Amino acid sequence: MTKREIFLTSFQKKLGSEFHGTQNWWTKSLFHFSDILNAISILENASVYSRNRAIELDLMQNDNANNDVIALTSDEHKNYARLYFGPSTPTQKNNEGIKPISEISNEAHCPIPVMFIFDFKKVFMLDGVLFTDGNLATNPNIYDDIQNLEILNFHMIYHRTWFTPEHRNKIINARHSEVLVKDALQLENNLRLIAVRSEAEKETLLHQLSATLKEKYKNKIYVQPQTGIFTNDWLYVDKVSLLNDTIHIKWHKCSNSISCNNQYNLKIVARNEAENIVKTLAKNSWYPKDSTQKINLTEELKNIEFELEIYIDEIKVYVNKFGESIV
C-alpha cells in the first residue's frame, strides 16, 4: 500500500472506533445530495460536477441552493464538486422536501432529494482533494494535506442532537464541513450507493433513466438504508400500487410539528398515448386527509398499460407505468 492509503486506512479505523451505530457508517462515507432532476443528469453523465461546470454544460436542471449562501461562496470554490462528511446538514434540512410555496425562501428547494453516498477512502485517494472545517460560505480553513484530517473535530461534524445557544454557531458550521474535488467526481469506483426516501421515489428515478442506466444502477438504489440520511419533514409519495382497478397512493405526511393543511395543489394524470386516453384529477388548496388515497380507474384504463404521474404544485413527484398491454 502507498503511504496515503496506509494513513487513510489507519485514520478511518480510528475514526470508526469513536462512533457507533449509524454514525459509524458515516465514517466510511461522504455525501452529496441533490434534487431528482439533477440526480438523473449525474447518472447520465456518470459524474458529480462542480457548480460552474454543471452550468457550463447546461446540466443543472434544478438549482436547489440558497441564493444568499451561493452569493457568499467564492467563484474559485464553485469549480469544485462538493461533498459533506455527514448527511442531514442544516442546509439539507432547510432545502429538503416538497415545501408549500409559502415556505420556500431564497429559492432553496430540493423537492425530491437523492443522496449519492461515496466511499470516504477512495475519494481521499484522488489527487488534489481539498477539505474544510466548516461551510465554504463562512471562509473556513481549507486543507490539502490528508494528514490534517486529524485536526478536524468529527464530534462536532457528526453532531446531530440538541445544543446550547452558546455552541450553536460553532456546531452548525462544523456540520457543514466539506470535501472538494476539482471540476468533477466520477461515480465509477467511488460511488457506494444511492439513497432515496421511498419506494415511490425509487420507481420515479428508475422510470426516467435509460434501459442501460436502469440496469446499471437499480441494485445501487436503496430506500433509506440508514436512519438520519433524510430529514423527512415534508409531504412526499411513499408508495403507489394498483389493486383491483384501484390506485392506492400512500403518503408520507408532514411531520407533527408542521401544519401543511390545504397548502398544496395536487394533479394526478393517467395516460395511454397509444389509445389517446388522458384522465386528470386536480385539487387546489389540498392536503391528504388520510395516509392512503384511493382512486378508482375509469373503464378506459382498465386492462391496458398506462403511465401515472403525480404532481404537487406543478412538481412531478411520481411517475411510473401500470396495467397490462393488450396483445
Side-chain angles (χ1 to χ4, degrees):
M1 290 194 294
T2 64
K3 288 183 179 180
R4 189 179 188 90
E5 190 172 5
I6 291 170
F7 169 81
L8 286 169
T9 300
S10 175
F11 174 80
Q12 195 172 53
K13 183 177 180 180
K14 178 184 175 183
L15 185 63
S17 70
E18 296 179 19
F19 296 91
H20 305 283
T22 294
Q23 290 188 318
N24 177 270
W25 183 74
W26 294 4
T27 67
K28 301 173 180 63
S29 307
L30 298 170
F31 301 83
H32 176 87
F33 81 96
S34 196
D35 184 68
I36 191 170
L37 297 178
N38 295 335
I40 293 167
S41 177
I42 288 169
L43 293 172
E44 288 175 343
N45 291 277
S47 297
V48 174
Y49 285 110
S50 68
R51 181 179 181 83
N52 283 346
R53 188 71 174 137
I55 291 172
E56 176 188 342
L57 297 173
D58 195 25
L59 297 176
M60 190 174 292
Q61 300 299 313
N62 179 63
D63 189 351
N64 41 251
N66 185 305
N67 289 339
D68 288 346
V69 174
I70 289 299
L72 294 172
T73 304
S74 74
D75 288 339
E76 169 59 23
H77 295 142
K78 293 173 187 175
N79 290 320
Y80 288 83
R82 297 164 64 177
L83 314 174
Y84 288 117
F85 283 102
S88 297
T89 62
T91 290
Q92 183 184 334
K93 185 172 179 62
N94 288 337
N95 296 6
E96 178 194 308
I98 307 163
K99 295 183 178 182
I101 294 172
S102 61
E103 298 289 336
I104 302 170
S105 61
N106 295 316
E107 298 185 27
H109 196 204
C110 181
I112 305 181
V114 176
M115 186 70 77
F116 290 85
I117 301 171
F118 291 91
D119 187 291
F120 184 107
K121 184 177 173 181
K122 288 181 178 179
V123 172
F124 274 105
M125 285 295 294
L126 300 174
D127 292 334
V129 174
L130 306 178
F131 55 98
T132 77
D133 58 3
N135 192 328
L136 272 178
T138 64
N139 295 315
N141 292 309
I142 300 175
Y143 305 98
D144 59 5
D145 184 346
I146 60 169
Q147 302 283 335
N148 286 323
L149 284 168
E150 296 183 325
I151 297 175
L152 300 186
N153 186 337
F154 279 89
H155 288 277
M156 285 208 301
I157 290 172
Y158 292 158
H159 186 284
R160 295 296 183 272
T161 56
W162 296 105
F163 46 74
T164 57
E166 61 266 29
H167 295 131
R168 178 183 184 278
N169 290 345
K170 184 178 289 188
I171 290 174
I172 286 179
N173 193 41
R175 290 176 177 179
H176 284 113
S177 297
E178 299 182 55
V179 178
L180 313 176
V181 180
K182 190 67 179 289
D183 294 328
L185 173 60
Q186 294 183 354
L187 304 188
E188 192 68 33
N189 193 49
N190 297 312
L191 182 68
R192 290 188 68 192
L193 56 98
I194 301 165
V196 294
R197 295 183 300 183
S198 70
E199 289 291 345
E201 292 185 348
K202 178 178 179 178
E203 290 172 4
T204 298
L205 177 57
L206 287 170
H207 181 79
Q208 296 177 90
L209 297 179
S210 68
T212 301
L213 289 178
K214 187 180 297 185
E215 186 63 28
K216 182 175 181 178
Y217 289 109
K218 67 180 182 181
N219 293 326
K220 275 190 173 289
I221 303 173
Y222 293 85
V223 176
Q224 308 227 27
Q226 294 281 344
T227 58
I229 293 178
F230 299 106
T231 62
N232 299 304
D233 286 338
W234 302 95
L235 179 72
Y236 62 81
V237 184
D238 189 25
K239 186 176 181 179
V240 180
S241 55
L242 178 61
L243 299 172
N244 299 323
D245 295 329
T246 300
I247 298 168
H248 294 245
I249 303 171
K250 183 180 178 183
W251 297 99
H252 173 280
K253 301 176 78 171
C254 296
S255 67
N256 292 335
S257 61
I258 299 174
S259 175
C260 294
N261 290 338
N262 303 322
Q263 292 198 54
Y264 295 103
N265 295 322
L266 171 71
K267 183 170 69 173
I268 300 173
V269 180
R271 63 163 55 87
N272 179 303
E273 293 184 352
E275 301 290 334
N276 197 28
I277 298 171
V278 179
K279 297 294 180 181
T280 302
L281 171 67
K283 294 185 178 182
N284 296 326
S285 300
W286 167 89
Y287 185 70
K289 293 180 181 179
D290 302 307
S291 293
T292 301
Q293 182 177 1
K294 298 179 181 180
I295 302 170
N296 294 326
L297 291 183
T298 62
E299 289 297 324
E300 300 99 313
L301 292 170
K302 293 179 181 179
N303 301 315
I304 66 169
E305 186 177 77
F306 62 92
E307 186 173 76
L308 182 71
E309 297 174 335
I310 302 174
Y311 295 84
I312 296 177
D313 294 338
E314 301 303 319
I315 299 166
K316 185 188 291 185
V317 299
Y318 181 78
V319 59
N320 201 11
K321 283 187 176 180
F322 288 91
E324 299 177 358
S325 299
I326 297 176
V327 179

